[in-house]
Amino acid sequence: MKRTSNILIVAALATGAFLAACNRGEHNRKPGRIYMPDMYESRAYEFYSARLSGLKPVEGTVKRGELLPYHLKEADTALANLVKNPLTITPTDLKEGERLFNIYCGICHGTALDGNGPLYKDGTGPFSAAPANLIAGAKSGYTEGRLFHVMTYGYNMMGSYASQLDRAQRWTIAAYIRSKQPGAAAPTAAPANDSTAAK
């Protein structure tokens, strides 16, 4: 009998210790002292709120890596003829300009810049109006500034490409178009400095 009572006492103590340990774990989740209360109970903050995301950049600032803003309005076509390309165009840039032209402009103007792209196809395509011929006619005399202006604001049936192409890409395409027009000289790469050349 004594042995049975000892077993019951040990079982009761083990059960009590087990229940005390379970109860203690709940208190461990909420300690009595908090080392840094502002970190433990932080206030929720949504950074991308409508108010903050709708803020415009500070006046006069330019995003890092971006060209200066283009201030001409859509009606300033005469002034656009005088605008110079701010980029130094290399043959690599012309290849990139050709690639971008074929992606965004070639569908209408054709890869030969003759206004006979897949959407027109000599009048048998889905578009009945012929796109501008960029290597012959009136458009062949457009300056890089005027071409950039047209890509920025659109012209007649052509819409603006300012949302698809950034400023540097539009200037690169304008340089590529101008290099294909009659009387235009393609830029040459600056000669590399050879430190091993004989003096």
Side-chain angles (χ1 to χ4, degrees):
M1 174 89 174
K2 193 169 186 178
R3 185 171 180 188
T4 306
S5 66
N6 287 343
I7 292 174
L8 287 176
I9 291 172
V10 169
L13 289 174
T15 303
F18 178 73
L19 290 175
C22 289
N23 195 17
R24 179 179 241 193
E26 185 178 315
H27 288 297
N28 280 342
R29 290 190 194 111
K30 295 187 180 185
R33 294 184 198 151
I34 300 171
Y35 175 61
M36 299 178 91
D38 57 337
M39 297 289 286
Y40 183 77
E41 298 173 358
S42 62
R43 189 174 1 145
Y45 180 68
E46 181 60 44
F47 181 74
Y48 296 103
S49 67
R51 185 183 70 76
L52 291 176
S53 62
L55 292 176
K56 295 190 177 194
V58 177
E59 188 69 33
T61 59
V62 178
K63 185 172 85 171
R64 186 173 297 186
E66 183 67 42
L67 295 176
L68 292 175
Y70 186 67
H71 293 294
L72 294 184
K73 303 296 181 216
E74 186 175 359
D76 296 337
T77 54
L79 290 173
N81 288 322
L82 304 174
V83 177
K84 302 291 182 204
N85 191 338
L87 303 176
T88 303
I89 301 296
T90 64
T92 306
D93 294 329
L94 287 180
K95 289 298 280 181
E96 176 64 9
E98 179 181 13
R99 185 185 76 81
L100 292 171
F101 180 89
N102 290 336
I103 292 170
Y104 293 98
C105 314
I107 191 77
C108 292
H109 295 284
T111 54
L113 289 82
D114 58 356
N116 195 20
L119 291 180
Y120 181 64
K121 276 195 255 175
D122 294 322
T124 61
F127 286 5
S128 58
N133 186 337
L134 299 173
I135 55 172
K139 308 295 188 282
S140 66
Y142 276 14
T143 64
E144 289 182 34
R146 180 70 183 271
L147 292 167
F148 178 86
H149 189 80
V150 168
M151 284 184 270
T152 302
Y153 291 110
Y155 186 74
N156 289 340
M157 296 297 291
M158 177 184 151
S160 169
Y161 277 82
S163 61
Q164 290 96 333
L165 299 163
D166 64 25
R167 290 186 194 103
Q169 290 173 326
R170 281 179 273 153
W171 278 117
T172 305
I173 292 173
Y176 166 71
I177 295 170
R178 191 69 191 123
S179 72
K180 294 296 182 183
Q181 291 173 337
T188 58
N193 291 335
D194 188 5
S195 61
T196 62
K199 297 197 181 195

